[in-house]
Amino acid sequence: MKFGQQLRESLLPEWKFYYVDYAGLKRFLYERSDKGYTADDESEFVKLLDGELEKVNNFQQTKSGEMKRRIEYCEQQVSLITKNDAPTDAKREQLDIIEHEIDTVISEVYELAKFTRLNFTAFIKIVKKHDKNAPFVLKPVFTVRLNSRPFFKENFDELLLELSRLYNIVRNGGVDVDQDKDPQSGNGQNFVRQTTKYWVHPDNVMELKLYILKFLPVLIYRTKGTTKPPSPAITSIYFDNEDLDLYQGRIEKSEGAEAIRLRWYGDMESNEIFIERKTHHEDWTGEKSVKERFSLKEKYINDYLSGDYTMDSKIQRLREEGKKSDQDLQDMETLSYEVQNSVREKRLCPVVRTFYNRTAFQIPGDARVRISLDTELTMVREDGFDGKARAGNNWRRTDIGIDFPFPQLPESDVCRFPYAVLEVKLQTQSGVEPSQWVTDLIDSHLVEAVPKFSKFIHGTSVLLEDRVDVFPFWFSQMDRDIRKPVTKTIGVSRASSPRGSIVGFDNLARHRSGRISSGTRSRSSSQFPNDIEVIVENEPGERSSQNGSAGTHYSQTYDEEAGATATEGTALLGRKQQDVKSTDSATSWLVRTINPFATSGERRSPGYDALQSEVPFDTQRANSGNGRPSGQRRIAVPVRVEPKVFFANERTFLSWLNFAIVLGSLALGLLNFGDRTGKIAGAAFTLIAMFVMVYALVLFQWRAERIRQRDAGPYDDRTGPTFLVVVLIAAVVLNFYLKVSTGF
C-alpha cells in the first residue's frame, strides 16, 4: 500500500484538516517538475511545507495540553466523589461517568499518537520526494526546522502513567488500593509460571499499552528517600569469552548452560549493580531453569571480577543486621563465589550491552499476571576481540550512557532492534485458564509470537556475526512485515463498551442499569465470526493439505508460522541469514537520528534489512465460484517447517551411523585378530553394520522428503529396527554356537 493511501485510510475524520496535505504537496512537486522546477518554485514549496509543519505542531501541542487538562479534571472529580458522603450506589454511578470520560481520553491519546506518527512519516517522505524530483536539496534545512517544532518528540508515557493510576482508582471504587503495596510481594510458591515473548510493531505499541492498562496498572518502582521520577531504562552487560562458549551453550540449550550479566536500573549514576546468573536445566533432570542475583556497589565491580574483592564483609554485615535469613545469605555467598570462579576460569569479559525502556503492568502484590513491554531495544558491542579497546580494563564502556539512539557510535558497534518486545508472565494454579483478556491479547493482531527470544543471543549473533556459527531461528522472521490484518478488534476503539473501551453518552444510562462487575463479566470466547474459514496453503510446488480442525484460529496459525510451536525446551537453532545488508539509506537519513515513531520500512537494524514496509498481504481472499455463500471469507496461511525439524532428522541419522561405526569396528577387530570362529562372527557383524548404514541413509532421505512435503506422518518405522534386532540376535547366537562346538 502506498503511503498516500495509507494516510487517507488512517486519518481521523474529525481531525482531517490538521494532517499534512501530503497529496497537495506531492501534486505541487510533480506539476512544477514537469514544467521545469525553478528557484521561485522552491521558495513557494518551502513556504507551503513550513506552513504544514506549523499547522501540525500547533494542533498536536493543543491536543496534548487538552489531554492533560482533562486528566486533571478527572482526578479532581474522583477526589470529590470519594470525599462525598453519598450512598455507594450513587458514587458508583458517578464513577461510571468518570470512567467513560477516561475511556474517551484513552481513545484520543491513541489517536494523537497515531496522528503524530503519520504526520512525521509524511514529512519524511515528502522531503525525500522533493530531493529526488527537484534540483535543490532540502534535507539539511528541513532537519533544523523540524527540530525547532519537535511535535514528534512528544512522550506519551507521562499521560500513560496518569491514565493507568486514574483508571485503577476508578475501577476499585475510588480507592487507591495499591498505594501501600510492595510491588514484589505476592509471589507464591505452589504455582506454575508460564512465560512467552512477542514482538510488537512500532505502529501497535501505543494501542497495546492503552489496551493493557484497562486491566492492569503500570507498575512503578520508586527508590526510597527520593522524589526523582523513576527512569524506565534498564541496561545489562553480558559476559562471554572469545570462543563465545556461553552464547553457544544458551543457543543450543545445553544442560547447565549459563548466562552471566551485570544489570542496573535508571541512568549511569545508579550505584547499585545487580550481578545475575541464568542457568538452564533440561526437563529430564527434574530441575527448573533458574535466575539468581545479588547486588553490589558499582565501585567494587572491577575488583570483584578480578578476584580481589569478596562478598564476605557484606554478608557478615547483613547477618548482623538480621535483614536476611541464614539460607539466603548462604545462597548469596555460594552464588558470588561461583560467578567469580566462572569469570576467572572461563576468561569471561564484557561482550554485549543491551538497553531498553521498560513499561511493566502488574497489580502490586499480585503476581498472577505480569506484562512487560520493552521499547527502544538496542544492543551495543562491549568486547575488544577485534583489537578495539571499547571497555578497556573497565567492566563496561564509558563513552555512552542511556542516550538512545546512541548516535555517537559507529554502525558496526550498535544494533537498534526494530520492534518492541512484549513478555507475558502468567502465574496460575495448575489447570486454571488465564483471563479472557489475556487470551484475546496474545491471539490478536497486535503481537507476533517469538518463543524464547533472547536479547543476548540476538545481539551477539548480529554484532559478532563473523564469530558465530549457529544463528537463532527467529532470524527468518526479521525479513517480513509482522503486521497482521485485524481479525478481531480488541484494542482501543471509539465505539466499544466500557471496561473494554468506550460507550456513547446515549448508552451510558443503559450501561449503568445493566452494569456487570469486571470480575464476572462474560466475554465471548469466539475468536472468529462464523463466516471465516481458516485453511492452510502450502508453498508453490508442494503437496496441498486441508486443515480440518474446527478449533483452529487465525492468530494461532500465524503463531505456527512464526515458530510458536517451540516450547521452553526448544533449542534456539536456525540457519545463517544470507545477503541481508541494508541498502536503502535515502529514507533513513532522518529516521535514525530523531524519529521515535519510525515505521519498520524506515528504521532498520544493522546487519540485515529488518522489514519490508510495503510488503503486500494477500492471504485474505474473497470466495467466488467455490460454492460458498458470498458472505464467507477464506484466510489462506502459508505453513513453514521449522529448521529444528530437519536438524532432529539429521541427529537421528547420525545416531544410526554411530551405532554402525561401533559395530563395524568390532567386526574389523574380529576379522583381523580372531580365530576361525571370530572371523565368521566378524563377517556377520560386518554385513549387519553395512546394512545399518544403508538403512539409516534410506530412512533419512525418506523422512526428509516427507518433512518437505508437510506430511502429517507417521514417521516411525517398525520393520527396520525389528529386523535389525533379529539379525543381531542371530549373529550373537551363531558366534556362541560356533565357539561352544569347537571348544573353549
Side-chain angles (χ1 to χ4, degrees):
M1 180 188 299
K2 292 186 176 181
F3 178 75
Q5 181 182 353
Q6 179 187 351
L7 180 62
R8 289 193 299 271
E9 294 180 357
S10 301
L11 60 79
L12 187 66
E14 293 90 331
W15 299 352
K16 63 181 179 180
F17 298 111
Y18 300 98
Y19 287 83
V20 176
D21 186 10
Y22 181 78
L25 292 172
K26 188 169 66 171
R27 189 184 311 111
F28 177 92
L29 279 175
Y30 290 158
E31 289 177 353
R32 300 301 173 92
S33 297
D34 292 340
K35 298 177 182 179
Y37 201 87
T38 65
D40 292 337
D41 295 331
E42 177 69 6
S43 178
E44 185 176 353
F45 179 80
V46 170
K47 184 178 180 180
L48 290 173
L49 189 63
D50 200 49
E52 293 297 314
L53 180 58
E54 189 72 26
K55 176 184 68 176
V56 170
N57 182 71
N58 290 341
F59 180 78
Q60 197 268 352
Q61 296 297 322
T62 300
K63 294 300 292 186
S64 180
E66 178 188 332
M67 300 300 156
K68 294 176 182 178
R69 291 190 294 272
R70 290 172 68 178
I71 292 175
E72 291 174 358
Y73 172 78
C74 290
E75 290 177 340
Q76 295 172 0
Q77 294 301 311
V78 169
S79 178
L80 292 175
I81 292 172
T82 53
K83 293 178 181 178
N84 194 354
D85 295 331
T88 303
D89 292 342
K91 285 185 176 182
R92 184 65 261 178
E93 288 188 3
Q94 292 174 331
L95 289 174
D96 282 343
I97 298 176
I98 299 299
E99 182 179 355
H100 165 75
E101 177 64 18
I102 297 172
D103 282 332
T104 306
V105 174
I106 287 176
S107 175
E108 294 203 6
V109 168
Y110 165 68
E111 293 292 349
L112 187 60
K114 189 176 178 181
F115 172 88
T116 303
R117 184 174 62 251
L118 284 172
N119 283 283
F120 182 87
T121 305
F123 282 121
I124 296 293
K125 288 185 173 293
I126 198 64
V127 171
K128 178 184 174 183
K129 286 184 179 297
H130 169 276
D131 290 357
K132 180 180 178 181
N133 293 277
F136 302 93
V137 177
L138 185 58
K139 176 175 64 176
V141 177
F142 185 72
T143 302
V144 176
R145 298 193 181 193
L146 195 59
N147 280 317
S148 67
R149 300 174 180 84
F151 71 93
F152 55 89
K153 292 184 179 180
E154 177 73 25
N155 189 347
F156 294 96
D157 287 344
E158 183 180 347
L159 292 177
L160 187 73
L161 291 175
E162 291 298 325
L163 286 170
S164 170
R165 188 183 67 84
L166 193 57
Y167 206 102
N168 196 38
I169 293 174
V170 172
R171 185 190 296 115
N172 291 286
V175 181
D176 191 357
V177 297
D178 301 330
Q179 186 174 9
D180 300 322
K181 285 188 178 181
D182 181 7
Q184 296 285 9
S185 63
N187 295 318
Q189 298 296 326
N190 300 322
F191 290 89
V192 177
R193 180 179 289 278
Q194 178 186 357
T195 302
T196 314
K197 294 182 180 180
Y198 305 86
W199 290 345
V200 182
H201 193 277
D203 291 353
N204 297 329
V205 167
M206 182 55 67
E207 182 178 5
L208 181 71
K209 286 182 177 181
L210 294 174
Y211 172 74
I212 297 175
L213 69 79
K214 295 183 178 184
F215 304 94
L216 292 177
V218 177
L219 188 64
I220 302 176
Y221 294 95
R222 296 187 182 275
T223 305
K224 294 182 179 179
T226 181
T227 58
K228 185 178 179 181
S231 172
I234 299 178
T235 312
S236 302
I237 307 293
Y238 287 88
F239 281 64
D240 209 335
N241 53 31
E242 290 196 41
D243 296 328
L244 300 182
D245 291 335
L246 268 60
Y247 169 88
Q248 198 69 22
R250 296 297 294 184
I251 199 170
E252 292 180 349
K253 301 193 74 67
S254 304
E255 169 58 28
E258 293 181 340
I260 295 177
R261 71 186 179 197
L262 274 62
R263 167 174 288 187
W264 70 94
Y265 300 87
D267 55 27
M268 300 297 290
E269 298 177 359
S270 178
N271 192 38
E272 186 176 25
I273 309 298
F274 291 92
I275 301 175
E276 302 182 352
R277 181 183 68 179
K278 289 184 175 182
T279 307
H280 171 73
H281 292 294
E282 295 284 2
D283 293 337
W284 56 265
T285 64
E287 299 182 54
K288 295 292 184 181
S289 298
V290 294
K291 181 176 75 172
E292 307 161 284
R293 75 175 186 174
F294 63 94
S295 63
L296 192 63
K297 290 187 179 298
E298 194 275 334
K299 61 182 179 180
Y300 299 129
I301 294 296
N302 284 324
D303 291 337
Y304 170 79
L305 295 174
S306 63
D308 298 332
Y309 178 87
T310 63
M311 294 287 292
D312 295 343
S313 58
K314 180 177 181 178
I315 292 174
Q316 181 61 32
R317 186 177 70 254
L318 292 174
R319 184 175 285 111
E320 293 173 356
E321 294 174 353
K323 293 182 178 180
K324 291 184 177 292
S325 65
D326 291 339
Q327 183 61 46
D328 290 340
L329 294 175
Q330 180 63 38
D331 293 341
M332 181 187 296
E333 184 177 17
T334 302
L335 177 61
S336 66
Y337 280 121
E338 290 178 352
V339 171
Q340 202 171 46
N341 290 335
S342 293
V343 172
R344 183 173 59 255
E345 294 173 0
K346 298 179 181 178
R347 300 181 180 276
L348 303 181
C349 61
V351 172
V352 172
R353 171 187 299 209
T354 63
F355 165 83
Y356 49 87
N357 287 312
R358 169 164 290 182
T359 304
F361 300 87
Q362 179 185 337
I363 298 175
D366 185 353
R368 289 176 296 176
V369 180
R370 175 185 172 88
I371 297 177
S372 62
L373 182 66
D374 300 335
T375 56
E376 299 178 346
L377 173 59
T378 308
M379 297 86 163
V380 178
R381 285 190 69 169
E382 293 274 342
D383 67 280
F385 299 155
D386 55 356
K388 297 180 181 179
R390 295 179 174 86
N393 295 324
N394 196 31
W395 65 278
R396 63 181 176 185
R397 62 192 299 170
T398 57
D399 58 336
I400 59 173
I402 59 172
D403 47 338
F404 177 85
F406 307 101
Q408 69 272 38
L409 293 178
E411 289 300 313
S412 59
D413 278 11
V414 62
C415 168
R416 300 175 185 89
F417 196 68
Y419 305 124
V421 178
L422 179 74
E423 187 171 354
V424 180
K425 295 182 178 180
L426 301 178
Q427 183 173 281
T428 57
Q429 293 179 342
S430 299
V432 178
E433 295 295 326
S435 302
Q436 183 62 39
W437 72 268
V438 177
T439 303
D440 290 342
L441 171 63
I442 62 181
D443 287 343
S444 73
H445 67 284
L446 298 176
V447 298
E448 169 85 353
V450 189
K452 302 307 295 176
F453 172 76
S454 167
K455 302 178 181 73
F456 165 58
I457 289 177
H458 187 85
T460 304
S461 61
V462 172
L463 297 174
L464 301 175
E465 183 178 359
D466 56 333
R467 290 177 172 268
V468 172
D469 296 324
V470 183
F471 289 78
F473 68 85
W474 57 76
F475 264 27
S476 61
Q477 293 173 254
M478 300 295 297
D479 285 335
R480 61 184 179 83
D481 194 340
I482 66 169
R483 288 172 291 188
K484 308 171 186 177
V486 180
T487 56
K488 181 179 181 181
T489 303
I490 68 158
V492 180
S493 172
R494 299 180 66 82
S496 44
S497 59
R499 293 285 194 272
S501 54
I502 307 149
V503 293
F505 277 110
D506 54 340
N507 294 327
L508 189 59
R510 181 177 57 185
H511 163 58
R512 286 203 296 262
S513 64
R515 187 177 180 275
I516 306 174
S517 65
S518 59
T520 59
R521 183 175 286 101
S522 172
R523 291 183 176 88
S524 172
S525 61
S526 173
Q527 300 290 326
F528 283 92
N530 294 330
D531 61 348
I532 294 181
E533 178 185 0
V534 178
I535 66 172
V536 176
E537 179 184 59
N538 289 324
E539 296 176 357
E542 296 179 358
R543 183 153 51 94
S544 62
S545 61
Q546 292 292 334
N547 185 349
S549 174
T552 304
H553 300 311
Y554 180 75
S555 55
Q556 291 173 340
T557 310
Y558 258 92
D559 288 344
E560 289 176 10
E561 179 189 3
T565 53
T567 64
E568 294 293 317
T570 303
L572 307 180
L573 297 177
R575 59 192 175 99
K576 181 175 180 180
Q577 185 162 336
Q578 304 291 337
D579 192 23
V580 289
K581 297 294 182 181
S582 177
T583 58
D584 185 6
S585 60
T587 307
S588 60
W589 57 269
L590 188 59
V591 177
R592 281 198 296 264
T593 57
I594 57 177
N595 185 8
F597 300 103
T599 61
S600 58
E602 296 162 345
R603 179 185 253 168
R604 301 176 189 271
S605 181
Y608 47 78
D609 188 359
L611 292 170
Q612 299 293 333
S613 60
E614 301 296 333
V615 173
F617 189 88
D618 59 355
T619 56
Q620 182 172 336
R621 294 177 289 186
N623 299 318
S624 59
N626 55 6
R628 292 183 177 87
S630 58
Q632 289 189 340
R633 291 171 290 166
R634 302 169 70 238
I635 301 175
V637 183
V639 175
R640 178 175 62 89
V641 177
E642 286 294 331
K644 64 178 180 288
V645 179
F646 292 97
F647 296 150
N649 187 31
E650 291 178 5
R651 287 195 298 269
T652 306
F653 171 67
L654 294 176
S655 297
W656 278 108
L657 285 187
N658 182 61
F659 171 77
I661 290 171
V662 172
L663 188 61
S665 300
L666 173 63
L668 290 176
L670 291 174
L671 285 172
N672 291 326
F673 305 104
D675 54 10
R676 179 176 177 275
T677 302
K679 291 181 179 180
I680 295 175
F685 285 123
T686 300
L687 293 174
I688 296 175
M690 293 171 62
F691 166 79
V692 171
M693 291 182 183
V694 175
Y695 170 76
L697 180 60
V698 172
L699 189 64
F700 169 77
Q701 295 291 351
W702 174 73
R703 285 176 173 165
E705 182 61 22
R706 299 194 71 183
I707 292 172
R708 292 190 187 95
Q709 296 294 336
R710 273 69 168 175
D711 199 294
Y715 288 86
D716 61 313
D717 177 33
R718 299 183 180 182
T719 305
T722 303
F723 178 77
L724 180 61
V725 170
V726 171
V727 296
L728 279 175
I729 293 175
V732 172
V733 170
L734 175 63
N735 184 36
F736 180 80
Y737 170 78
L738 293 175
K739 197 64 179 177
V740 171
S741 62
T742 57
F744 290 91

